[in-house]
Amino acid sequence: MNESVTENGRPGASQDAIEAHYDLGNEFFRLWIGPELVYSSALYEGDDDLAAAQLRKLDHHIKAAGATQASNVLDIGCGWGALLNRLVTHWGAKRAVGLTLSPSQASWIRQMALPNVEVQVESWRDHKPAKPYDAIISVGAFEHFCHSGMKPADKLQSYRDFFSTCHGMLADGGRLSLQTIAAVKPLEFVPSLIPEKIFPESEIPLIWEPVVAAEGPFELLALRNDADHYYRTLRQWEKNLTACRDQAVKMVGEETVRDFQQYLRISAFAFKRNHICLLRMSFAKR
């Protein structure tokens, strides 16, 4: 593998790499991330349980993107469709489009038969909308846009390509709401489990890279670091997985469950020690 592209000829995770993680089984993930299948940091307030905090997270991004009552919204990295569902059933979006590289996730969304929702197994790099979007939301996908070994300039260019593409897909006055894990400084050591077995062909940005990459096409409206929220989310996921470990082993095997438990602990430790952080950002199209 060279320094600028993966085997699919592009920076970041290929469809095969995405499937290796997200297509392990919908029921496996439901056991421990929750029945709504929201697989990113929650947004806690007070003594929220996980479900309430995940709902608050979805609403945060919908409001930050100005997507309430919107005519046309894009969700990049839509997962199992929780945000799409919230957009059309609670916030009155007239049309919501989700992009994912996971066929399993796309199938799950289609089976939900949500009104005014479309899902496509497609990269944002290939997406050609018929008309501009009023708002774009991307939660937990940015981490897959680059891979380890990329030169810093190539990595930053990949992020710039993302923001440039979003700018081109947004209507004038449109907004983008983004959530991503980021490294506070270059990580000196990353346990091999994470890049080799959990999230292949992926690498998180440095804390400043999304902000710099967005300069020009976008104005930064708000930024918050919620590392403690992801720590809390990860600990709850680990607790859930431990509680249903026997069921999980029957679904995906002993080794996979052990790997996931370790990945959840490692990640929680990294947030607790402030090695990594959780950025929630909103931008306005210039």
Side-chain angles (χ1 to χ4, degrees), residues 137-177:
I137 300 169
S138 185
V139 178
F142 201 85
E143 297 92 332
H144 300 302
F145 295 167
C146 291
H147 62 264
S148 60
M150 289 180 69
K151 295 177 181 177
D154 291 339
K155 192 175 176 215
L156 190 59
Q157 184 58 52
S158 180
Y159 297 143
R160 285 185 171 133
D161 290 345
F162 168 76
F163 284 106
S164 177
T165 299
C166 289
H167 184 272
M169 292 192 292
L170 272 173
D172 291 344
R175 292 186 183 183
L176 163 66
S177 189

Side-chain angles (χ1 to χ4, degrees), residues 87-191:
L87 277 164
V88 299
T89 62
H90 184 80
W91 288 107
K94 307 302 186 295
R95 177 175 181 258
V97 178
L99 303 182
T100 177
L101 290 179
S102 165
S104 179
Q105 290 179 338
S107 177
W108 180 268
I109 295 168
R110 290 174 183 136
Q111 289 173 9
M112 293 167 68
L114 296 168
N116 306 314
V117 165
E118 302 168 27
V119 61
Q120 300 174 26
V121 180
E122 185 179 44
S123 167
W124 56 266
R125 299 177 187 274
D126 300 317
H127 186 59
K128 307 296 181 186
K131 59 180 180 179
Y133 292 103
D134 304 306
I136 297 176
I137 300 169
S138 185
V139 178
F142 201 85
E143 297 92 332
H144 300 302
F145 295 167
C146 291
H147 62 264
S148 60
M150 289 180 69
K151 295 177 181 177
D154 291 339
K155 192 175 176 215
L156 190 59
Q157 184 58 52
S158 180
Y159 297 143
R160 285 185 171 133
D161 290 345
F162 168 76
F163 284 106
S164 177
T165 299
C166 289
H167 184 272
M169 292 192 292
L170 272 173
D172 291 344
R175 292 186 183 183
L176 163 66
S177 189
L178 177 69
Q179 177 170 309
T180 182
I181 301 168
V184 175
K185 60 182 180 179
L187 297 174
E188 296 179 358
F189 172 73
V190 178

Side-chain angles (χ1 to χ4, degrees), residues 1-269:
M1 183 184 298
N2 65 37
E3 292 183 323
S4 59
V5 296
T6 53
E7 290 181 359
N8 65 349
R10 293 177 168 182
S14 63
Q15 184 166 335
D16 286 347
I18 294 297
E19 290 182 29
H21 184 96
Y22 296 97
D23 284 27
L24 278 170
N26 298 331
E27 294 305 321
F28 166 66
F29 284 104
R30 288 187 82 210
L31 282 177
W32 53 279
I33 67 174
E36 299 303 319
L37 287 167
V38 187
Y39 194 24
S40 54
S41 175
L43 178 57
Y44 286 93
E45 188 173 292
D47 59 355
D48 276 346
D49 63 14
L50 179 61
Q54 290 290 23
L55 197 62
R56 179 174 288 105
K57 183 266 300 294
L58 299 178
D59 289 346
H60 166 84
H61 285 291
I62 291 167
K63 293 174 185 177
T68 61
Q69 304 294 320
S71 297
N72 198 26
V73 184
L74 177 65
D75 181 1
I76 297 176
C78 63
W80 288 272
L83 181 70
L84 298 170
N85 188 2
R86 189 71 173 166
L87 277 164
V88 299
T89 62
H90 184 80
W91 288 107
K94 307 302 186 295
R95 177 175 181 258
V97 178
L99 303 182
T100 177
L101 290 179
S102 165
S104 179
Q105 290 179 338
S107 177
W108 180 268
I109 295 168
R110 290 174 183 136
Q111 289 173 9
M112 293 167 68
L114 296 168
N116 306 314
V117 165
E118 302 168 27
V119 61
Q120 300 174 26
V121 180
E122 185 179 44
S123 167
W124 56 266
R125 299 177 187 274
D126 300 317
H127 186 59
K128 307 296 181 186
K131 59 180 180 179
Y133 292 103
D134 304 306
I136 297 176
I137 300 169
S138 185
V139 178
F142 201 85
E143 297 92 332
H144 300 302
F145 295 167
C146 291
H147 62 264
S148 60
M150 289 180 69
K151 295 177 181 177
D154 291 339
K155 192 175 176 215
L156 190 59
Q157 184 58 52
S158 180
Y159 297 143
R160 285 185 171 133
D161 290 345
F162 168 76
F163 284 106
S164 177
T165 299
C166 289
H167 184 272
M169 292 192 292
L170 272 173
D172 291 344
R175 292 186 183 183
L176 163 66
S177 189
L178 177 69
Q179 177 170 309
T180 182
I181 301 168
V184 175
K185 60 182 180 179
L187 297 174
E188 296 179 358
F189 172 73
V190 178
S192 60
L193 171 72
I194 305 296
E196 293 180 7
K197 300 183 72 175
I198 302 298
F199 293 114
E201 300 179 7
S202 299
E203 182 171 88
I204 61 175
L206 293 170
I207 192 170
W208 56 269
E209 287 177 323
V211 177
V212 171
E215 288 178 354
F218 287 95
E219 174 189 358
L220 178 64
L221 300 177
L223 183 154
R224 54 187 290 170
N225 177 2
D226 287 331
D228 54 331
H229 293 247
Y230 219 153
Y231 171 77
R232 188 170 169 183
T233 303
L234 288 159
R235 292 305 303 271
Q236 186 61 56
W237 285 345
E238 184 193 350
K239 181 179 179 181
N240 294 347
L241 183 54
T242 299
C244 62
R245 194 178 194 283
D246 291 344
Q247 287 177 268
V249 168
K250 290 178 181 178
M251 291 178 177
V252 298
E254 176 75 33
E255 181 179 351
T256 297
V257 172
R258 185 172 61 249
D259 287 344
F260 267 76
Q261 288 180 306
Q262 188 176 355
Y263 129 67
L264 293 171
R265 294 187 198 108
I266 291 169
S267 300
F269 176 84

